[in-house]
Amino acid sequence: MHTKPTLRCDGVNRREFLTVGALSALGLTLGDALRASAASSVGRGLGGKSCILIWLDGGPSHLDTFDPKPDAPSEVRGPFSTISTRIPGIALSEHLPRTAQVLDKVALIRSLTHELGNHDTGSHFLLTGHRPNPALAYPSLGSIVAKERGNRAALPPYVVLPEATSALGPGYLSGAFGPFAVGRDPAQARDLALPEGLTLERLGERRAILEQLDRFSQTVEANAATQSRDAAYEQAYRLLAAPEAKAAFDLAREPASLHERYGRSKLGTACLTARRLVEAGARFITVVDSGWDTHQNIAKTLPDALFPGSGKLPALDRAYAALLTDLSERGLLENTLVVLMGEFGRTPKLNALGGRDHWPRAGFACLAGGGVRGGQVIGKTDASGESPTERPVRPEDLSASILTLLGIDPATEYHHPDGRPLRLINDGIMLKELV
């Protein structure tokens, strides 16, 4: 029995990496996240695209969302009917009416497939493009973008809302490229303000002391940490002092009508924050939406059947459609890649509890903006949604495509500390249909 939506069936609870509250203590815990600026290659351009990844943590049912099977038997079809969309002949779940009206902006992949049915391994595969390796932790796509593209203005290049999972980390890269996470509901997140009694003047004095300590440590032992520390703390200080950084997280600047458009759910608030962060210069924003591990009672947990605002599908429908529309209206969608996915799909047949279990052989992903050609469906599953029958898409292919769309060559090589060359993505190929 699952009583907490933040827990998956494996009992893993997401934890904070970095928090807004920790920022205000002095910016010390933000140091790693902001070392990305110092560690990025000198002269790298600051233009280019941003990415918003909406991660449906737990594994969303493809059959009850983006790949329904209305003609299948009831135990396969599930409890929901379907609705038509802006793509002729393509239907979605009845609980995605707003998304159906913006599907002309979306490239819907219905043939995502792999073999890893555990939450952690599946998440790692989708978020890094690599099968998990006990001897080597691979960097998440967000960390790769942080390293390759650097940051703009005072914001960290890689932000997670509200909190990160383990697969969203920097892997074998420096902690400099890990995510900055709000760590709570963005609507309740404290502004990037200093604690009571701590002024910027006092913070500057503490920064000066840290600089002196760093200079001393560098005379004793020079290493990667000491070489980048000065720039990291300088960036942390800038984040605390910069009005544009504070403004990016200040949702009170948005009209009530726009809040209603996104929805007052945590997902809606996070998506609205993500749009503000894109405007402020963040490179890669991951929005983590938990609660998709639907082993039981899909008929009540996915729609608003328990109480208003309880359902996963209405909140997703509202927030996702609002994000695409808002970005489009502001002229930001062309340069903002929006990705929607989870670690796997769910079983073709309902189980005895009225839910669906893990099923990595078939799943979906949605890509929009960032140069993607919308209004199309890529791939197809069989009549029961069990396996792809056309154009199977692997996690490596999806990762390679995301990086390519963001202007990063997936064949780029990094080097392990022992000198081994490591490609960003080993076997994936760009999905040509996307462009």
Side-chain angles (χ1 to χ4, degrees):
M1 173 107 28
H2 307 289
T3 58
K4 295 182 179 180
T6 56
L7 284 175
R8 300 188 309 230
C9 67
D10 57 8
V12 176
N13 196 356
R14 301 182 321 279
R15 58 187 176 87
E16 300 177 9
F17 277 44
L18 300 166
T19 69
V20 170
L23 270 177
S24 34
L26 179 59
L28 299 183
T29 58
L30 183 62
D32 272 347
L34 296 175
R35 285 182 194 132
S37 177
S40 294
S41 298
V42 176
R44 217 168 247 145
L46 296 181
K49 297 176 181 177
S50 298
C51 180
I52 298 174
L53 165 61
I54 303 174
W55 177 252
L56 305 181
D57 189 64
S61 168
H62 57 299
L63 292 157
D64 301 293
T65 56
F66 287 88
D67 191 14
K69 302 295 180 181
D71 299 325
S74 60
E75 66 271 19
V76 173
R77 182 176 68 248
F80 309 137
S81 60
T82 61
I83 54 174
S84 59
T85 72
R86 287 286 184 91
I87 304 178
I90 299 301
L92 298 183
S93 164
E94 64 177 308
H95 296 293
L96 296 172
R98 291 177 173 85
T99 300
Q101 294 306 305
V102 298
L103 207 65
D104 56 323
K105 296 179 172 62
V106 177
L108 169 57
I109 299 172
R110 281 181 164 173
S111 54
L112 188 61
T113 183
H114 61 95
E115 305 82 25
L116 304 183
N118 173 275
H119 288 296
D120 285 344
T121 56
S123 296
H124 187 280
F125 206 178
L126 266 295
L127 291 168
T128 69
H130 293 268
R131 288 176 171 273
N133 182 340
L136 183 65
Y138 291 98
S140 65
L141 298 176
S143 292
I144 291 172
V145 172
K147 178 174 172 58
E148 289 294 309
R149 305 301 296 168
N151 69 323
R152 293 179 281 194
L155 281 173
Y158 178 23
V159 180
V160 172
L161 303 167
E163 52 189 348
T165 65
S166 59
L168 292 170
Y172 60 74
L173 297 178
S174 163
F177 307 110
F180 162 63
V182 171
R184 56 193 296 186
D185 184 350
Q188 300 175 352
R190 191 149 48 99
D191 193 7
L192 301 184
L194 296 169
E196 184 177 355
L198 182 60
T199 66
L200 283 174
E201 182 179 2
R202 288 185 60 194
L203 185 62
E205 293 172 354
R206 296 186 185 188
R207 181 177 59 155
I209 294 173
L210 286 170
E211 289 172 349
Q212 292 179 24
L213 290 173
D214 276 346
R215 282 194 293 270
F216 173 75
S217 66
Q218 288 170 2
T219 64
V220 177
E221 180 183 6
N223 54 46
T226 58
Q227 289 169 358
S228 64
R229 191 175 297 146
D230 286 344
Y233 286 119
E234 175 64 25
Q235 188 74 339
Y237 179 83
R238 287 175 55 208
L239 180 57
L240 285 170
E244 65 270 24
K246 297 180 182 181
F249 289 94
D250 185 4
L251 297 183
R253 295 171 179 253
E254 298 291 349
S257 59
L258 195 60
H259 284 274
E260 292 299 328
R261 189 176 182 181
Y262 276 85
R264 299 283 182 171
S265 65
K266 289 185 178 180
L267 177 59
T269 302
C271 286
L272 177 54
T273 304
R275 191 225 79 207
R276 292 183 60 81
L277 292 173
V278 164
E279 286 181 307
R283 294 288 189 180
F284 199 104
I285 304 103
T286 298
V287 173
V288 179
D289 186 41
S290 62
W292 290 93
D293 195 17
T294 50
H295 287 277
Q296 56 187 331
N297 208 4
I298 279 177
K300 289 188 176 180
T301 57
L302 289 185
D304 271 343
L306 298 176
F307 55 86
S310 66
K312 301 301 299 179
L313 286 178
L316 172 63
D317 183 47
R318 195 176 193 120
Y320 181 58
L323 177 62
L324 295 186
T325 303
D326 196 12
L327 288 169
S328 179
E329 290 175 350
R330 294 169 185 270
L332 296 171
L333 188 59
E334 183 60 29
N335 287 313
T336 305
L337 176 65
V338 181
V339 181
L340 174 70
M341 65 179 182
E343 59 262 46
F344 39 61
R346 312 298 291 193
T347 48
K349 291 185 179 181
L350 294 169
N351 60 29
L353 297 175
R356 299 185 193 268
D357 302 315
H358 304 180
W359 193 257
R361 284 170 57 184
F364 72 90
C366 297
L367 284 79
V372 168
R373 182 169 63 85
Q376 62 168 324
V377 174
I378 298 173
K380 181 181 179 181
T381 54
D382 58 29
S384 62
E386 183 176 357
S387 302
T389 57
E390 296 179 8
R391 191 61 165 102
V393 175
R394 302 281 303 173
E396 303 97 320
D397 302 327
L398 185 56
S399 295
S401 299
I402 291 171
L403 291 179
T404 300
L405 289 165
L406 295 174
I408 298 171
D409 184 357
T412 299
E413 288 189 349
Y414 293 158
H415 286 84
H416 190 272
D418 65 9
R420 283 181 293 155
L422 299 167
R423 277 177 53 128
L424 293 187
I425 305 297
N426 287 330
D427 303 315
I429 57 173
M430 169 69 183
L431 302 175
K432 300 299 185 184
E433 300 95 323
L434 291 173
V435 294

